[in-house]
Amino acid sequence: EKKDPAQHGEIDSRGRWGAELHYIGGPFSLSSEYLVCRYDDIEVFDNNNVKIISDDGSIRSWSTWVSYFLTGEQKEVSNFAWRQPNPKTDFDPVHLSGTGAWEVLARYTSTKTSESLFRKGILEGADRVDEYTLGLSWTWNPLIRWQLNYVHLSGRGIQTGWEDENNGGQPGKNRVDHEDMVGLRMIFKF
């Protein structure tokens, strides 16, 4: 059921809790997180302010990643945030000297949202999505890092596509069971 754009919603309360576990052993790092977000009394109203949907819901997400520096560097955790190490030897792109820091990583994330929120039309898309990521990171020096990632999404009814003038400015309407992406980015620190 497609929601009328004039509809609006309210949430009575939201509660969140989570747990994290981190391990660093030389060039090897492991991190795992679990998060639960509970929404109580989600209400959707029509354009006459008449309540048409009411439900409770939750989102549960679990993520684990492992990382290994091929060149021997070691990550640090500071105030619950990861800090990328500086390379043992910087890479000089002008003279093609030094190695920089090379890191390989893998990540798994699973997110599950209450199915009733989709059945009742509060949300659209997939109620569960599993994400698998493989990555390679090359830190040239403390200011420049390249990241290459392959990401595979798996789920029932993932909404895909984008808004543009060819589809009237509406988000994509296609539903798929998986989606793949390769991404490359260059990160500059100032």
Side-chain angles (χ1 to χ4, degrees), residues 53-123:
I53 300 172
S54 181
D55 201 358
D56 296 332
S58 66
I59 300 170
R60 298 176 189 280
S61 185
W62 171 64
S63 180
T64 296
W65 61 260
V66 295
S67 157
Y68 187 81
F69 278 93
L70 302 172
T71 46
E73 289 79 5
Q74 179 175 320
K75 286 185 185 283
E76 296 177 15
V77 177
S78 172
N79 295 329
F80 298 101
W82 287 97
R83 292 183 49 205
Q84 285 294 113
N86 291 333
K88 288 183 174 184
T89 59
D90 289 350
F91 172 70
D92 179 353
V94 175
H95 300 100
L96 299 177
S97 62
T99 60
W102 287 89
E103 176 187 22
V104 293
L105 62 93
R107 178 180 62 212
Y108 170 74
T109 302
S110 181
T111 303
K112 174 79 173 102
T113 305
S114 300
E115 290 180 36
S116 65
L117 300 179
F118 294 89
R119 281 194 311 269
K120 291 186 176 185
I122 295 172
L123 297 175

Side-chain angles (χ1 to χ4, degrees), residues 1-187:
E1 166 185 344
K2 179 67 178 159
K3 295 187 292 286
D4 183 327
Q7 294 176 352
H8 65 280
E10 296 177 2
I11 298 172
D12 182 50
S13 66
R14 176 185 74 178
R16 295 186 299 175
W17 71 269
E20 298 181 14
L21 175 68
H22 307 292
Y23 172 78
I24 299 173
F28 176 80
S29 301
L30 170 82
S31 178
S32 191
E33 297 180 56
Y34 183 73
L35 175 68
V36 175
C37 188
R38 173 102 180 127
Y39 297 94
D40 295 318
D41 203 17
I42 302 168
E43 297 176 334
V44 177
F45 300 87
D46 67 13
N47 57 1
N48 294 318
N49 219 26
V50 175
K51 186 186 328 179
I52 55 175
I53 300 172
S54 181
D55 201 358
D56 296 332
S58 66
I59 300 170
R60 298 176 189 280
S61 185
W62 171 64
S63 180
T64 296
W65 61 260
V66 295
S67 157
Y68 187 81
F69 278 93
L70 302 172
T71 46
E73 289 79 5
Q74 179 175 320
K75 286 185 185 283
E76 296 177 15
V77 177
S78 172
N79 295 329
F80 298 101
W82 287 97
R83 292 183 49 205
Q84 285 294 113
N86 291 333
K88 288 183 174 184
T89 59
D90 289 350
F91 172 70
D92 179 353
V94 175
H95 300 100
L96 299 177
S97 62
T99 60
W102 287 89
E103 176 187 22
V104 293
L105 62 93
R107 178 180 62 212
Y108 170 74
T109 302
S110 181
T111 303
K112 174 79 173 102
T113 305
S114 300
E115 290 180 36
S116 65
L117 300 179
F118 294 89
R119 281 194 311 269
K120 291 186 176 185
I122 295 172
L123 297 175
E124 294 182 18
D127 66 322
R128 177 177 174 162
V129 176
D130 295 310
E131 175 186 332
Y132 307 88
T133 303
L134 296 174
L136 179 66
S137 178
W138 184 23
T139 304
W140 284 6
N141 55 50
L143 302 177
I144 300 173
R145 179 168 36 133
W146 290 88
Q147 289 182 319
L148 176 67
N149 289 325
Y150 165 73
V151 180
H152 173 80
L153 297 177
S154 176
R156 296 182 308 254
I158 298 171
Q159 188 168 336
T160 187
W162 54 87
E163 298 179 18
D164 67 17
E165 64 277 357
N166 296 325
N167 64 3
Q170 298 297 313
K173 303 294 183 202
N174 297 330
R175 303 283 182 186
V176 297
D177 290 333
H178 68 277
E179 195 168 67
D180 297 287
M181 179 199 84
V182 174
L184 176 67
R185 65 180 157 183
M186 185 179 200
I187 300 167

